Amino acid sequence: MAERRLLVLFGSQTGTAQDTAERVGREAKRRHLQCRVEALDSCDMANLIHEPLVVFVCATTGQGDPPDNMKMFWRFLFRKNLPAGSLCQLDYAVLGLGDSSYPKFNFVAKKLHKRLLQLGGNPLLPVALGDDQHDLGPDAVVDPWLVALWDKILALYPLPPGLEIISPDVRPPPKYTLRYLPEDSPHPDSDLLQPAAPQAPPGELHSFAAHVVSNQRVTAQSHFQDVRLIEFDIAGSGITFSAGDVVMIQPQNCPEDVQQFCQLLNLEPHRRFVLEPTEPGTSLPPLLPQPCTIQYLVTHYLDISCVPRRSFFELLAYFSTNELEREKLQEFSSAQGQEELYSYCNRPRRTTLEVMWDFPHSTCAIPADYLLNLIPRIRPRAFSIASSMLAYPERIQILVAVVRYKTRLSKPRCGLCSTWLASLNPEQGDVCVPLWVKKGGMKFPADPATPVIMIGPGTGVAPFRAAIQERVALGRRGNCLFFGCRYKSKDFYCQTEWEELVTKGFLTLFTAFSRDQEEKVYVQHRIRENGRLVWELLSCGNAHIYLAG
């Protein structure tokens, strides 16, 4: 009988596609299929020709781009020299996650499906196009598509004699066992220190701990929004970047939340543990040291401030000892309960920690082994670099708007990363932030004669500050900036810097302060007023236009 083996590969930017892929993996195991779930770029592409059955779950980001963890796969798959029938052994299905408010809706899934067909693959089903804009989210498409998928797969690979599909009432095993070390076991000195930086430039798996040099508020104290210009010291990191590049920052949970979480789950923060995979072949989470403390796990790894997904409620229901709580959790994880879950969780942006407060009987029964199944890891955040190495060597500056807003919940919602960054005060001692740099989507012209028109309202001006500093350092004039904010006196970022460059003839500046007069004025009004100049730069000067929000 054919080997009952399924490979689930995902390309995920924010974690939704990964969450869905893991759901497919759980459902496969209930049907007694051998199943591996991994990111597309972690998979050995050469082995794809030997895989009998693969489900691809992929998101589309930006303007129809593949997520970061499938970029290498994408380049490989579209190589011209791949033979037409190279995947003729492969049965496959593609599940796309996208947002129909973007013009290139689910572009990656559609293109992947088409390319696998070209290479001889055999599709089990039409490509599924999950849509964030649907009232019930992508699950409106995913749920029925998965039912059809399992029908197809079980027709090809029937259950072995004597086995039945494991009931959804049976709790799935954890991915890892969390084994506590004896309290008196020796502590190696380097317990939780970062490993010595390898020669390669810093990246997600080995970030650089950059000292915070300064953290300065650039909006008036009376202004509703707190915006910071933060400077990091990257001396000795090997990091290089140019205008338009992005710095990735790995944030952490605040001490109060960590303490509350540990209290709710009766965890001892100082306890040390090692993780052991429950299935052979499962790799350990690369960003967790071994051994590790509970404090480190909750502070640096578990995203307890994210809005929990449907899978969180599904798993939490298994631990619930309280009938009322269990019924509610099961409702939230059912297809019929998605509107109610949206109203309870997504609309008010309720965090995982707050949900745990609402389900105390279920929360205190969570076994530590399941923490990594239940709660996703904290994702790094991307910021446009707002400085040039030519102006500030061995430094990176960013412009951060601190995220804080009200929903119907009494406590204001706060952005995890921006709130943490704003709280760092280098004057009260040494503060470090784990970071690395990624190529950005903006490339500025190499020809010094090419003029540049930049439209950057609010913190959207950040990458243009880097570009202007870089171009000025190289003696390039032809810099035209349209900047907009609410009030000249309250949120005109980098005002003195721009005015100096205007005086020196390096910058043409147009400003729109929307609330400084009766009629609201925005950057588009200034562009229209200066239409002749803009057209002249485009038609005669071959200018490039850049827009950042």
Side-chain angles (χ1 to χ4, degrees):
M1 193 176 130
E3 191 184 3
R4 304 180 75 253
R5 183 172 95 229
L6 168 66
L7 177 61
V8 183
L9 295 173
F10 63 85
S12 184
Q13 195 70 20
T14 60
T16 310
Q18 180 175 351
D19 186 66
T20 306
E22 282 166 356
R23 172 183 170 186
V24 176
R26 287 192 299 275
E27 294 194 12
K29 284 175 181 159
R30 286 184 32 226
R31 289 161 177 83
H32 303 281
L33 286 147
Q34 271 186 330
C35 182
R36 281 195 349 266
V37 179
E38 47 188 69
L40 276 151
D41 280 353
S42 311
C43 163
D44 182 357
M45 291 319 350
N47 282 338
L48 204 57
I49 56 170
H50 306 303
E51 290 294 338
L53 183 58
V54 180
V55 173
F56 297 88
V57 183
C58 46
T60 296
T61 68
Q63 305 301 313
D65 304 313
D68 290 340
N69 63 4
M70 68 176 281
K71 285 205 157 103
M72 292 180 331
F73 165 80
W74 201 242
R75 280 198 294 274
F76 175 84
L77 196 70
F78 286 92
R79 284 194 347 208
K80 297 273 192 294
N81 59 355
L82 292 184
S86 46
L87 295 181
C88 60
Q89 305 287 320
L90 177 74
D91 287 332
Y92 75 92
V94 176
L95 166 50
L97 297 173
D99 183 323
S100 59
S101 66
Y102 284 81
K104 295 206 166 176
F105 171 55
N106 261 316
F107 184 73
V108 170
K110 292 172 188 169
K111 200 168 169 184
L112 172 62
H113 182 70
K114 207 167 150 187
R115 180 61 174 153
L116 294 169
L117 260 180
Q118 279 177 348
L119 295 172
N122 169 44
L124 297 178
L125 289 174
V127 58
L129 305 176
D131 185 7
D132 245 357
Q133 291 297 317
H134 191 284
D135 289 346
L136 302 177
D139 286 344
V141 167
V142 174
D143 290 358
W145 186 84
L146 282 178
V147 171
L149 177 73
W150 296 123
D151 285 348
K152 288 272 186 191
I153 289 177
L154 288 181
L156 288 170
Y157 300 92
L159 284 166
L163 284 182
E164 291 192 358
I165 296 176
I166 298 168
S167 156
D169 301 334
V170 176
R171 177 163 98 189
K175 205 169 176 181
Y176 306 104
T177 307
L178 189 145
R179 187 168 60 77
Y180 283 115
L181 299 175
E183 299 262 3
D184 52 5
S185 65
H187 281 234
D189 286 341
S190 63
D191 192 2
L192 297 179
L193 293 176
Q194 292 288 329
Q199 292 314 296
E204 184 158 14
L205 297 183
H206 47 97
S207 57
F208 177 73
H211 289 277
V212 179
V213 178
S214 61
N215 180 351
Q216 153 199 4
R217 181 173 171 138
V218 290
T219 43
Q221 286 300 332
S222 60
H223 191 54
F224 78 99
Q225 180 141 50
D226 180 358
V227 177
R228 302 299 178 101
L229 182 66
I230 303 177
E231 182 171 35
F232 304 103
D233 182 350
I234 54 164
S237 66
I239 289 176
T240 58
F241 60 89
S242 45
D245 287 348
V246 166
V247 63
M248 305 299 294
I249 290 179
Q250 185 65 46
Q252 60 186 54
N253 291 311
C254 70
E256 303 80 62
D257 284 1
V258 172
Q259 190 186 349
Q260 277 188 20
F261 182 88
C262 290
Q263 280 171 353
L264 271 171
L265 279 91
N266 301 316
L267 295 167
E268 298 172 51
H270 65 277
R271 284 302 297 273
R272 293 162 70 247
F273 65 88
V274 288
L275 287 179
E276 292 164 352
T278 44
E279 280 191 10
T282 305
S283 52
L284 290 167
L287 294 164
L288 270 185
Q290 289 266 60
C292 184
T293 62
I294 291 290
Q295 178 90 31
Y296 187 94
L297 172 73
V298 183
T299 303
H300 297 278
Y301 194 85
L302 299 179
D303 196 353
I304 59 178
S305 74
C306 72
V307 176
R309 303 176 195 275
R310 176 177 167 181
S311 59
F312 171 88
F313 295 91
E314 193 180 314
L315 188 52
L316 189 55
Y318 286 112
F319 313 127
S320 189
T321 50
N322 176 291
E323 200 176 332
L324 264 173
E325 285 188 14
R326 187 169 57 247
E327 278 175 13
K328 197 69 195 166
L329 291 165
Q330 284 168 341
E331 182 190 340
F332 282 156
S333 56
S334 70
Q336 301 75 35
Q338 289 314 288
E339 269 182 76
E340 195 157 341
L341 176 59
Y342 190 84
S343 303
Y344 167 69
C345 232
N346 302 65
R347 192 169 289 124
R349 311 302 295 163
R350 200 182 297 269
T351 70
T352 297
L353 184 58
E354 288 169 330
V355 170
M356 289 176 143
W357 276 109
D358 285 352
F359 292 88
H361 299 92
S362 313
T363 297
C364 68
I366 296 169
D369 289 350
Y370 280 90
L371 287 174
L372 281 94
N373 287 55
L374 197 61
I375 301 171
R377 71 176 177 89
I378 299 174
R379 300 250 160 199
R381 304 323 201 237
F383 293 90
S384 293
I385 297 175
S387 59
S388 163
M389 293 190 93
L390 301 180
Y392 295 91
E394 307 200 315
R395 295 282 195 264
I396 282 181
Q397 296 181 355
I398 56 173
L399 203 55
V400 182
V402 181
V403 177
R404 187 185 166 92
Y405 57 95
K406 283 288 292 173
T407 65
R408 62 181 170 77
L409 301 178
S410 59
K411 194 178 168 200
R413 309 291 87 195
C414 293
L416 174 67
C417 190
S418 59
T419 306
W420 173 61
L421 287 172
S423 75
L424 302 176
N425 184 354
E427 288 163 22
Q428 289 178 353
D430 224 2
V431 206
C432 286
V433 167
L435 54 76
W436 63 98
V437 164
K438 260 175 44 176
K439 274 278 153 250
M442 281 187 183
K443 300 276 179 291
F444 291 88
D447 180 356
T450 306
V452 173
I453 301 169
M454 294 161 279
I455 306 157
T459 53
V461 80
F464 303 139
R465 182 172 180 259
I468 291 166
Q469 285 180 0
E470 193 168 283
R471 289 171 61 81
V472 168
L474 296 168
R476 297 177 184 176
R477 293 180 185 265
N479 304 307
C480 175
L481 174 66
F482 288 88
F483 173 76
C485 64
R486 290 194 176 196
Y487 305 98
K488 183 176 183 176
S489 62
K490 291 183 178 181
D491 54 338
F492 186 3
Y493 315 133
C494 314
Q495 177 180 357
T496 47
E497 192 174 330
W498 303 139
E499 287 171 350
E500 267 176 40
L501 291 173
V502 170
T503 311
K504 290 177 181 168
F506 277 107
L507 181 66
T508 306
L509 175 69
F510 299 101
T511 51
F513 305 111
S514 61
R515 310 297 167 92
D516 274 346
Q517 60 286 308
E518 277 292 287
E519 285 287 293
K520 288 186 182 161
V521 178
Y522 296 111
V523 284
Q524 58 268 34
H525 299 120
R526 295 289 183 242
I527 292 168
R528 193 173 289 134
E529 287 165 17
N530 296 280
R532 180 171 288 177
L533 167 72
V534 171
W535 175 242
E536 209 170 282
L537 288 170
L538 285 172
S539 57
C540 310
N542 222 357
H544 292 201
I545 292 192
Y546 299 86
L547 175 66

